[in-house]
Amino acid sequence: MIIEEMTMAEFAEGLSRTRTVLIPFGATEEHGDHLPLSTDTLHAVEVGRKLADLRAIFIAPAVPYGVCRSTSAHPGTISISTETLKALACDIVASLYRQGLRHFVLITGHAGGTHTSALIDAGERLLEQFADLRIAVLTEYMLASSEGRDIIETDGDSHAGEIETSRILHTHPHLVKGQGKREFPRFPKGILVRNKRNFWPGGVWGDPTLATAEKGARLEAVVVAALDRLVTQLEQLEGY
């Protein structure tokens, strides 16, 4: 049940089928010279829509902005503060809670550490605020890299590399511009730097040259299956 496509009557009827909602979080962020700035948002939205084909679940409109610390100096990246992200997450969940929803899955296609920690902080705050609320916070990349470990060939593949390029080749091939180049950032360990492009010029973390649409289809399938299992676990959780 895609909330942005529903009428209020359809939403009300949907509450008789489920009290679970998935909220996709993404980013508007560089993904090399070959992938669109919306890559992270597209990942989260696609798995949500596929999940809605398998089970009764609400899919909320996506949040297309995130905390993009490492890519903030790259062209096209729009980054928000952790305070803004936390406030957005808390306000969206609180509003949906008032509408009658009780189980919340915050899935983010953007896997930045600061970004993800902000969503976890918001989730902890919400647990304290609402006694009967259940919530999960996870990155879409976490599922793709773990469930798809036998599919991906690149060690340490991450941002705009084999995994993400394969996914977009499968779901949105018309948005892939060229092949991309293998690259890994060279940030000095433990040292914070101002101009991160000096240490990561191309904005790729992995090897997009090994990406294929067939890998992307397989990755999406295992991610959706893992997400389906997680939602079942959340809905049946005791002692939360």
Side-chain angles (χ1 to χ4, degrees):
M1 294 179 287
I2 312 302
I3 289 178
E4 61 205 89
E5 299 175 2
M6 302 175 76
T7 66
M8 67 176 185
E10 290 171 333
F11 185 95
E13 189 277 330
L15 289 173
S16 67
R17 301 170 58 198
T18 184
R19 295 301 175 100
T20 303
V21 59
L22 180 145
I23 307 172
F25 285 82
T28 301
E29 179 189 39
E30 70 79 20
H31 275 73
D33 292 330
H34 63 296
L35 294 183
L37 299 170
S38 60
T39 290
D40 290 342
T41 309
L42 293 175
H43 290 329
V45 169
E46 282 297 319
V47 295
R49 286 178 173 266
K50 294 291 193 308
L51 183 64
D53 291 336
L54 297 179
R55 66 187 302 143
I57 187 171
F58 288 97
I59 308 298
V63 178
Y65 301 107
V67 181
C68 304
R69 184 178 53 81
S70 297
T71 60
S72 59
H74 290 73
T77 295
I78 303 173
S79 183
I80 61 176
S81 68
T82 55
E83 290 78 12
T84 297
L85 181 61
K86 289 179 191 178
L88 272 171
C90 288
D91 284 356
I92 292 168
V93 170
S95 182
L96 289 168
Y97 181 91
R98 288 192 293 270
Q99 291 285 339
L101 291 160
R102 292 297 180 267
H103 310 146
F104 298 84
V105 179
L106 278 55
I107 185 164
T108 172
H110 176 49
T114 306
H115 172 94
T116 305
S117 293
L119 289 176
I120 293 172
D121 284 349
E124 294 286 355
R125 185 183 304 172
L126 288 160
L127 281 177
E128 294 179 358
Q129 185 175 356
F130 301 106
D132 59 344
L133 176 144
R134 301 179 187 181
I135 191 165
V137 179
L138 69 158
T139 70
E140 204 270 348
Y141 170 77
M142 178 180 75
L143 295 179
S145 60
S146 60
E147 299 295 322
R149 57 187 175 275
D150 295 329
I151 301 171
I152 297 305
E153 302 175 63
T154 309
D155 289 337
D157 190 81
S158 179
H159 184 82
E162 183 183 359
I163 294 174
E164 291 200 304
T165 304
S166 293
R167 300 287 303 282
I168 299 299
L169 280 170
H170 168 58
T171 60
H172 296 79
H174 61 289
L175 296 180
V176 181
K177 313 293 174 61
Q179 188 179 49
K181 297 178 181 178
R182 178 184 175 92
E183 181 190 26
F184 289 87
R186 298 175 289 103
F187 297 124
K189 291 184 179 180
I191 300 174
L192 302 182
V193 296
R194 291 184 178 83
N195 190 344
K196 295 173 177 59
R197 289 193 72 191
N198 286 340
F199 303 90
W200 195 17
V204 172
W205 193 320
D207 192 349
T209 68
L210 297 176
T212 67
E214 186 269 339
K215 288 179 181 176
R218 293 170 62 194
L219 283 166
E220 183 166 278
V222 298
V223 167
V224 173
L227 192 56
D228 188 33
R229 295 192 298 270
L230 180 139
V231 173
T232 297
Q233 181 183 11
L234 180 69
E235 292 177 339
Q236 298 176 351
L237 187 67
E238 297 181 0
Y240 61 92

